Amino acid sequence: MTAAEALRGGQADGAALAGKVAIVTGGAGGLGRAMALALAEAGARVVVADLDARGGREVADLIDGAFRACDVSDLEANRALVDFAQEQYGGVDIALLNAGVATGCGVGDDFDPARYRRAMGANLDGVVYGTHAVLPALRARGGGAIVATSSLAGLAAVPLDPLYAANKHAVVGLARSLGPALAPDNVRFNAVCPGFAESRIIDPLRDMLSEQGLPVIPAEVVADTVLRIVTGDGAGECWFVQAGREPERFRFRTVPGPGKPAAV
């Protein structure tokens, strides 16, 4: 039984999502599509946002939702997306800030400023702008949930793609910091950190993953984990999703605080 099915049967923790309004960025395919379908199955009304208008409309039509073209790297586009959701459904309760792209360059001879800005714009600015834009709408509803899509690359070193690791680490830092900061407004901010999951980003890696015998995580597993986060009560959490393991909250080691040095 999926998390969405459990919700509809009243078997999962937290309230059912019937009547809730959700925004999913990057919703035209991969993880975003799976998230949109899972939310709709759980009873939510969903606004699918993506630059891929054809794919986004297909998903929206499939779930009887709404589509809005949106470049998440643009602040005004994020504000327009939230306005659209409010006009369509009267408010917003959930924001899944999922849009993301591969970096496509490093910091050495292959550095490309345009590719770098594109990746940072989608993977980090999209989360910051999306959060800023949706906060007033969530507060107007008395609170809500934001889940940002980070990656295992946000929890570990990635020597082969340091820039992707950098923007995904930034999303983890936002989640850990905004979780407690937004809690007084009853807004729960968390992150999901999938490994190699079914999405366009892994297309260039498929042969390598196959050769090394590394399984690709079904997008539905990530979507079900996101529903667990949305319907839970945590804030500032970063949930990893890895093949062969049960998804769970990553437990960060405590950083030493200020204090007197130990006696020698």
Side-chain angles (χ1 to χ4, degrees):
M1 176 180 291
T2 67
E5 291 169 339
L7 276 169
R8 298 190 77 170
Q11 298 177 33
D13 292 336
L17 299 184
K20 299 295 184 181
V21 178
I23 292 172
V24 181
T25 67
L31 301 183
R33 180 182 188 276
M35 292 175 191
L37 266 60
L39 284 165
E41 185 182 355
R45 291 172 292 180
V46 183
V47 175
V48 178
D50 206 295
L51 283 174
D52 177 1
R54 179 178 179 181
R57 288 195 178 96
E58 287 178 354
V59 175
D61 290 345
L62 188 63
I63 60 175
D64 194 23
F67 170 75
R68 174 79 180 191
C70 180
D71 177 356
V72 298
S73 68
D74 181 271
L75 176 57
E76 292 308 317
N78 281 274
R79 287 173 170 156
L81 171 61
V82 173
D83 289 344
F84 174 78
Q86 291 177 305
E87 292 166 2
Q88 290 289 309
Y89 297 125
V92 180
D93 303 287
I94 300 163
L96 304 188
L97 306 179
N98 166 75
V101 298
T103 305
C105 71
V107 298
D109 294 339
D110 63 340
F111 181 66
D112 183 328
R115 287 180 178 271
Y116 168 69
R117 281 307 326 155
R118 176 175 180 265
M120 296 300 285
N123 299 349
L124 178 56
D125 294 348
V127 175
V128 174
Y129 291 163
T131 300
H132 176 74
V134 81
L135 274 177
L138 296 180
R139 287 168 173 152
R141 301 278 266 197
I146 302 173
V147 180
T149 299
S150 180
S151 168
L152 280 184
L155 300 173
V158 187
L160 295 178
D161 198 344
L163 294 177
Y164 187 77
N167 54 55
K168 292 302 185 178
H169 270 73
V171 173
V172 166
L174 277 172
R176 299 184 70 193
S177 303
L178 285 177
L182 297 178
D185 292 332
N186 198 31
V187 174
R188 296 183 302 102
F189 191 110
N190 295 285
V192 64
C193 302
F196 294 114
E198 188 59 55
S199 67
R200 295 173 188 167
I201 286 180
I202 71 162
D203 283 345
L205 307 174
R206 290 184 188 276
D207 289 344
M208 180 272 291
L209 295 174
S210 178
E211 291 170 2
Q212 297 188 13
L214 297 174
V216 175
I217 304 164
E220 292 75 15
V221 174
V222 180
D224 285 350
T225 303
V226 169
L227 283 193
R228 290 176 61 183
I229 298 170
V230 167
T231 59
D233 58 6
E237 297 179 350
C238 300
W239 283 59
F240 68 83
V241 186
Q242 185 60 290
R245 297 188 62 175
E246 178 69 17
E248 63 176 293
R249 174 172 60 91
F250 185 74
R251 301 181 184 278
F252 295 88
R253 181 173 179 176
T254 303
V255 177
K260 295 182 180 179
V264 177

